[in-house]
C-alpha cells in the first residue's frame, strides 16, 4: 500500500496552502479528473437504481439543527454560528436535515415510496488542526449521500439494495473492504427516540448483513446519534481504519421532522429514512484509491487514459490527430512527443497511463497504432479507430480489466 499524503502530492493530485488552511486541500487537474469520473459513475449507478438527484445549500439556520438534534448531539463537530442580520446561520454538518425538508415540501403518497433522494454535496466538520492530514481528515467534505424515504415494510429491501451498490462499487474501483461493521449504540442510555426503535433498526441491519452473506463485527458505541448503521471499513498503509461507506436505518429524524405519507388507507403514516453512502466522500475515496493503486488507477479513473507516442518528429501530425480523435471520443489523452525524450524514456515516464499508443512510420502510413498496456502487454498494430473503440469500451465498462481479448460486438462497431 501507498501513503496518499505523500504520493498524492507527488502525482499532482492534490495539494494544500497555509493561506487556505489546514484540512482544506484543493484538487489539481489530475485529482479533479478522478473526482469527476467518480461523480459521473455514482450518478449513473444511482440513476439506474431509481434515485433522483437534488441540490441543496451548504448553509442553514441553526434552528434546523435544533430540530434534527445535531446541535445538541454533534455541536463539537460543527462550526460556530454566523450572525447574519440577527439570524444564526451554520455550515451544515450533514445533508440529512435538508433532505428531510425537501421530502416534507410536497404531499407524499405511498405510491411515491420508496423515494430515493441523492446528492453529491458539501458538509463541514470542525476538526482541530492537529488531527488533519492529506485528504482523509478534512474540514470540508464532499459526500456521495442519499436518503431513502420508505414505508416500514420496504426498509429491509432498500438497505439490502444499498449494500449491493456498495459491493459493486468496490469491485469497479478495484478496492476491498477491510471489514464490515455493525455499529450499535453505546449501552450508557444515550438512545434518542427510545430503545425499541434502536433494537428494531439493529435487527433489520443484522438481517441485511446475514442475507448478503458477509461476515461482520458488531460494535457498541459506533452508531450515529439517530440510529445504528452498517459501516464498510477500509484500512490505509498504516492499517488505520476508517468508514468509507455506510447504510443506516433511522426512525428518529422522520419523527423529529414530522414526515408523513398518505397510505393506501387514506390515513397519514410515518416513513422510515435509510441514510446511505456508496463511495463515501470524494476526498476519502480519492485518498483510498491512491493508497491502493499508487498512481495506476483503473482506466476509467485514470487522469490520463491514453498517451500517444510518435516515434519521431515525422509522426507528429498523426499523433496530434489521434489524440484529438481520442478526446472527441470522450477519453483523456495527451501526446508525448520526442521533445520530451527518447521513446524509451517517454514509455517509462508514462508507465502509470493505462494505454500508450505508439505511432512509427509504418503505423502512420496505415492509420494504425501499436498499443502498449500498463500491465506490460504489447499488442500488434491495429487500425487507430479500432484501438480507440476498444479502449472506449473498456473505459465505459468502468471495471478494472484493461483489455478484453474479443469484446462482444466491438469489431462490428464503426471505428
Ligand atoms: Zn443522512
Amino acid at each position: 500500500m501507498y501513503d496518499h499524503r505523500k504520493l498524492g502530492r507527488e502525482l499532482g493530485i492534490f495539494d494544500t496552502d497555509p493561506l487556505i488552511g489546514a484540512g482544506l486541500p484543493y484538487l489539481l487537474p489530475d485529482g479533479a479528473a478522478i473526482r469527476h469520473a467518480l461523480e459521473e459513475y455514482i450518478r449513473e449507478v444511482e440513476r439506474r437504481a431509481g434515485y433522483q438527484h437534488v441540490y441543496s445549500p451548504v448553509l442553514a439556520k441553526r434552528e434546523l439543527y435544533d430540530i434534527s438534534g445535531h446541535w445538541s448531539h454533534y455541536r463539537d463537530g460543527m462550526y460556530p454560528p454566523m450572525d447574519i442580520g440577527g439570524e444564526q446561520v451554520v455550515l451544515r454538518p450533514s445533508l440529512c436535515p435538508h433532505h428531510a425538508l425537501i421530502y416534507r415540501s410536497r404531499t407524499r403518497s405511498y405510491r411515491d415510496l420508496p423515494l430515493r433522494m441523492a446528492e453529491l454535496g458539501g458538509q463541514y466538520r470542525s476538526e482541530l488542526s492537529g488531527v488533519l492530514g492529506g485528504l482523509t481528515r478534512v474540514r470540508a467534505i464532499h459526500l456521495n449521500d442519499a436518503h431513502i424515504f420508505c414505508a416500514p415494510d420496504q426498509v429491509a429491501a432498500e438497505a439490502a439494495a444499498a449494500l449491493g451498490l456498495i459491493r459493486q462499487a468496490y469491485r469497479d474501483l478495484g478496492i476491498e473492504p477491510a471489514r464490515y461493521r455493525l455499529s450499535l449504540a453505546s449501552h450508557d442510555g444515550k438512545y434518542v427516540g427510545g430503545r425499541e426503535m434502536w433494537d428494531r433498526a439493529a435487527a433489520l441491519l443484522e438481517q441485511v448483513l446475514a442475507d448478503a452473506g458477509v461476515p461482520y463485527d458488531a460494535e457498541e458505541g459506533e452508531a450515529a446519534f439517530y440510529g445504528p448503521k452498517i459501516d464498510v471499513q477500509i484500512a490505509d498503509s498504516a492499517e488505520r481504519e476508517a468508514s468509507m461507506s455506510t447504510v443506516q436505518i433511522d426512525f428518529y429524524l422522520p419523527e423529529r421532522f414530522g414526515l408523513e405519507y398518505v397510505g393506501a388507507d387514506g390515513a397519514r403514516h410515518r416513513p422510515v429514512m435509510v441514510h446511505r453512502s456508496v463511495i463515501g466522500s470524494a476526498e476519502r475515496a480519492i485518498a483510498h484509491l491512491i493508497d491502493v493503486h499508487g498512481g495506476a488507477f483503473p482506466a476509467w479513473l485514470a487522469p490520463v487514459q491514453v498517451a500517444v507516442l510518435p516515434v519521431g518528429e515525422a509522426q507528429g501530425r498523426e499523433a496530434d490527430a489521434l489524440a484529438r480523435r481520442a478526446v472527441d471520443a470522450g477519453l483523456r489523452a495527451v501526446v508525448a512527443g520526442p521533445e520530451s525524450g527518447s521513446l524509451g524514456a517517454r514509455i517509462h515516464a508514462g508507465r502509470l497511463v493505462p494505454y500508450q499508443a505508439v505511432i512509427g512510420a509504418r503505423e502512420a502510413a496505415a492509420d494504425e497504432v501499436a498499443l502498449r498496456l500498463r500491465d506490460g502487454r504489447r499488442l500488434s498494430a491495429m487500425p487507430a479507430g479500432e484501438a480507440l473503440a476498444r479502449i472506449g469500451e473498456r473505459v465505459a465498462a468502468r471495471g478494472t480489466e484493461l483489455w478484453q481479448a474479443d469484446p462482444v460486438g466491438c469489431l462490428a462497431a464503426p471505428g
Side-chain angles (χ1 to χ4, degrees):
M1 264 210 174
Y2 303 85
D3 181 350
H4 86 275
R5 288 169 300 180
K6 183 165 176 286
L7 187 60
R9 286 185 170 87
E10 285 168 9
L11 292 172
I13 290 172
F14 75 98
D15 217 329
T16 47
D17 190 299
L19 268 181
I20 299 175
L24 296 167
Y26 54 84
L27 295 178
L28 290 155
D30 279 6
I34 298 171
R35 177 167 159 187
H36 197 152
L38 286 171
E39 292 186 351
E40 283 184 338
Y41 168 80
I42 204 70
R43 282 201 188 94
E44 178 63 12
V45 161
E46 287 172 344
R47 187 187 66 78
R48 286 176 191 273
Y51 287 79
Q52 294 177 306
H53 291 93
V54 297
Y55 285 112
S56 59
V58 300
L59 294 160
K61 284 161 73 174
R62 207 204 75 185
E63 219 180 310
L64 177 61
Y65 304 100
D66 288 331
I67 296 170
S68 70
H70 284 85
W71 191 249
S72 53
H73 294 278
Y74 193 69
R75 193 188 313 183
D76 290 348
M78 291 173 66
Y79 285 90
M82 293 169 266
D83 216 317
I84 301 173
E87 263 178 8
Q88 289 202 322
V89 172
V90 292
L91 277 167
R92 67 176 169 194
S94 78
L95 282 68
C96 334
H98 281 84
H99 287 189
L101 293 183
I102 294 173
Y103 177 88
R104 204 172 73 175
S105 68
R106 300 283 183 277
T107 302
R108 309 292 184 180
S109 136
Y110 70 97
R111 288 189 212 88
D112 302 324
L113 308 187
L115 191 152
R116 307 180 186 95
M117 190 185 297
E119 180 171 0
L120 287 150
Q123 64 180 45
Y124 299 84
R125 184 180 298 163
S126 156
E127 299 255 31
L128 296 176
S129 52
V131 302
L132 299 169
L135 292 173
T136 44
R137 295 297 290 272
V138 292
R139 289 172 164 163
I141 296 159
H142 296 91
L143 190 66
N144 154 232
D145 204 4
H147 297 94
I148 302 159
F149 301 87
C150 58
D153 64 355
Q154 297 170 327
V155 173
E158 290 302 312
L163 187 62
L165 292 184
I166 293 169
R167 299 178 79 196
Q168 181 59 48
Y170 281 48
R171 287 191 283 275
D172 294 340
L173 295 167
I175 60 177
E176 277 182 36
R179 67 189 177 107
Y180 293 84
R181 186 176 77 187
L182 177 60
S183 302
L184 304 168
S186 56
H187 274 270
D188 58 3
K190 275 197 211 150
Y191 296 100
V192 297
R195 175 79 187 255
E196 187 270 337
M197 272 186 188
W198 282 76
D199 289 345
R200 260 168 77 204
L204 279 164
L205 289 173
E206 255 173 66
Q207 191 57 48
V208 166
L209 285 162
D211 291 346
V214 294
Y216 65 93
D217 305 316
E219 280 182 36
E220 290 181 2
E222 298 289 350
F225 73 80
Y226 46 77
K229 55 191 176 129
I230 296 169
D231 287 315
V232 185
Q233 301 292 102
I234 53 168
D236 69 9
S237 56
E239 294 188 20
R240 276 180 303 245
E241 237 188 49
S243 303
M244 179 155 153
S245 316
T246 182
V247 182
Q248 312 172 7
I249 294 179
D250 172 13
F251 297 99
Y252 178 71
L253 291 180
E255 286 283 345
R256 298 288 293 184
F257 283 97
L259 304 185
E260 291 178 337
Y261 64 93
V262 180
D265 56 1
R268 296 182 176 277
H269 299 269
R270 182 129 294 158
V272 183
M273 270 172 92
V274 177
H275 309 236
R276 53 104 280 204
S277 179
V278 174
I279 59 168
S281 71
E283 290 78 15
R284 194 178 291 284
I286 293 170
H288 193 57
L289 287 165
I290 300 169
D291 282 346
V292 171
H293 295 297
F297 303 106
W300 65 278
L301 288 165
V304 175
Q305 294 164 323
V306 183
V308 183
L309 309 179
V311 171
E313 306 266 353
Q315 292 85 46
R317 202 166 48 86
E318 287 82 359
D320 287 344
L322 183 71
R324 183 74 250 164
R325 280 165 75 182
V327 169
D328 286 345
L331 298 167
R332 295 183 288 274
V334 297
V335 176
E339 69 284 351
S340 41
S342 69
L343 183 63
R346 284 180 276 146
I347 287 171
H348 182 72
R351 64 194 175 281
L352 297 176
V353 176
Y355 306 99
Q356 295 185 331
V358 180
I359 303 181
R362 196 154 19 104
E363 287 83 14
D367 190 26
E368 289 187 340
V369 290
L371 286 183
R372 303 175 67 101
L373 309 189
R374 183 175 58 206
D375 58 16
R377 277 181 281 175
R378 299 172 64 168
L379 310 179
S380 45
M382 69 178 79
E386 183 194 328
L388 291 182
R390 292 182 63 168
I391 292 170
E393 185 267 335
R394 287 288 79 210
V395 167
R398 290 178 166 131
T400 52
E401 284 294 318
L402 283 179
W403 200 249
Q404 210 175 8
D406 195 13
V408 180
C410 188
L411 293 177

